[in-house]
Amino acid sequence: MHFEITILGNGSATPTFQRHPSAQVLRVDDRVYLIDCGEGTQMQMGRYKVKSHRIMHIFISHLHGDHYLGLMGLLSSMHLQGRTTELHIYAHRELQSIIEYQMEVSHTRLRYPLVFHWHENIKGHSLFEDDHITVEPIPLEHRIPCVGFLFREKPRPVKLKPGVVEKYRIPYEAIESIKSGSDFTDSQGNVIASIDLTMPPSRQRSYAYCSDTLYNKAIEQKVRKVDVLYHETTFMHDLLERANETFHTTSLQAGMLANNAEIGKLLIGHFSARYSSATPLLEEARMHFPNAEVAEEGMTYAVE
Ligand SMILES: [Zn+2]
Ligand SMILES: [Zn+2]
């Protein structure tokens, strides 16, 4: 089953010719989840073959423009393309008024239901779940309320080992109970243990998305041992003061966080427009955490 992330934008607030503002898609099997939707996201989706009709859920971290200004255009295009299926948006409550006001002044009545879920209403640890994944909020520390997202795969079903059905003549009705741990008794009265008939379920994969935030120890706990962490690194560490003023993280800090949290792989992005190349940021992150990569636009990273 696919569990992979495609980067649509890795820049920050000021536009540049090289980078688009934040947006990425997570693909889990045939589901596509959009995470943030900066300006130009729908053009990037076209460029990298992301089909908008497959998106049912959009997660917006916060209401700085570089994380949501592409949303109105995308919603309008979905309407013009004749979409009728429900679309769910997870965001801070003000986004609903912002979108509805734009609809109102343009006399637009969407053909599809748009359902808002406010971050302010999050109770406990779950923001969303379906039969493939759960999404938990990650509290971030930014100039305005900001939430990261932790996507975890749900436990995958136990499977029978290849060939055992034929070998032991297992009737169809017995399969579910073997999968749930019962032993099987064949027609000669031989007992075959469930463990000899089944394969252990695959490991549950996880992906954490931390958009704009100050370096914060609490995040380490939340993203502990995730397979892949995307973390913003807007500045290099010589601009720590600027990072603190604007509630951002340096690449050195993101590397430290990745190392302390014992994650699998770090992807860095949300670079300030002052950096024409991301290489120095990457080198700095790798000082503490060697398995770091730049989240390159158009690239797909498997979560494994
Ligand atoms: Zn931002
Ligand atoms: Zn921001």
Side-chain angles (χ1 to χ4, degrees), residues 42-242:
Q42 59 173 330
M43 307 296 286
Q44 290 290 83
M45 286 170 54
R47 184 169 290 141
Y48 299 118
K49 313 275 182 286
V50 177
K51 302 268 186 289
S52 69
H53 67 265
R54 306 243 318 258
I55 296 174
M56 304 295 158
H57 303 276
I58 300 177
F59 298 88
I60 301 292
S61 64
H62 68 299
L63 297 182
H64 278 150
D66 54 325
H67 297 259
Y68 84 97
L69 286 181
L71 189 57
M72 191 62 212
L74 177 62
L75 299 181
S76 299
S77 297
M78 287 172 163
H79 168 73
L80 295 172
Q81 287 155 3
R83 180 186 180 113
T84 53
T85 44
E86 254 181 24
L87 180 68
H88 295 260
I89 296 180
Y90 303 79
H92 292 94
R93 64 192 303 162
E94 293 93 338
L95 185 63
Q96 182 165 357
S97 333
I98 293 168
I99 298 294
E100 286 177 354
Y101 183 63
Q102 294 185 76
M103 300 287 177
E104 187 189 321
V105 294
S106 63
H107 295 197
T108 303
R109 269 186 71 98
L110 291 178
R111 295 189 177 96
Y112 58 91
L114 194 56
V115 185
F116 285 90
H117 305 264
W118 298 343
H119 292 334
E120 288 81 354
N121 287 350
I122 299 171
K123 291 191 178 67
H125 296 298
S126 183
L127 179 63
F128 166 80
E129 76 174 276
D130 60 15
D131 50 349
H132 285 355
I133 57 165
T134 59
V135 185
E136 297 168 36
I138 305 172
L140 301 177
E141 197 178 348
H142 197 39
R143 275 178 297 150
I144 58 172
C146 187
V147 169
F149 306 109
L150 174 52
F151 299 84
R152 283 189 198 281
E153 197 173 23
K154 284 206 165 160
R156 295 156 85 185
V158 172
K159 286 187 184 156
L160 292 187
K161 287 181 180 168
V164 293
V165 171
E166 298 77 12
K167 183 174 175 190
Y168 297 105
R169 297 172 190 267
I170 299 173
Y172 180 75
E173 314 80 75
I175 289 177
E176 275 316 303
S177 75
I178 294 169
K179 284 183 180 175
S180 51
S182 304
D183 298 339
F184 172 67
T185 307
D186 69 12
S187 53
Q188 273 83 51
N190 303 311
V191 177
I192 302 118
S194 165
I195 199 166
D196 294 328
L197 298 171
T198 54
M199 298 188 288
S202 316
R203 207 172 51 80
Q204 290 166 251
R205 294 166 287 184
S206 53
Y207 173 65
Y209 174 82
C210 291
S211 58
D212 303 7
T213 184
L214 269 182
Y215 174 63
N216 177 340
K217 281 269 182 193
I219 300 172
E220 270 173 32
Q221 294 307 317
K222 190 71 193 173
V223 302
R224 187 140 208 90
K225 299 204 169 175
V226 295
D227 296 307
V228 179
L229 165 68
Y230 168 90
H231 202 291
E232 68 120 315
T233 59
T234 308
F235 300 106
M236 292 185 65
H237 205 66
D238 60 333
L239 293 182
L240 177 63
E241 210 173 306
R242 180 87 186 117

Side-chain angles (χ1 to χ4, degrees), residues 7 9-10 24 230 267-269 271 293-297 299 301:
I7 308 299
N10 66 4
Q24 37 185 267
Y230 168 90
L267 293 175
I268 60 169
F271 311 120
E293 277 186 53
V294 171
E296 298 279 6
E297 291 184 10
M299 289 292 289
Y301 302 87

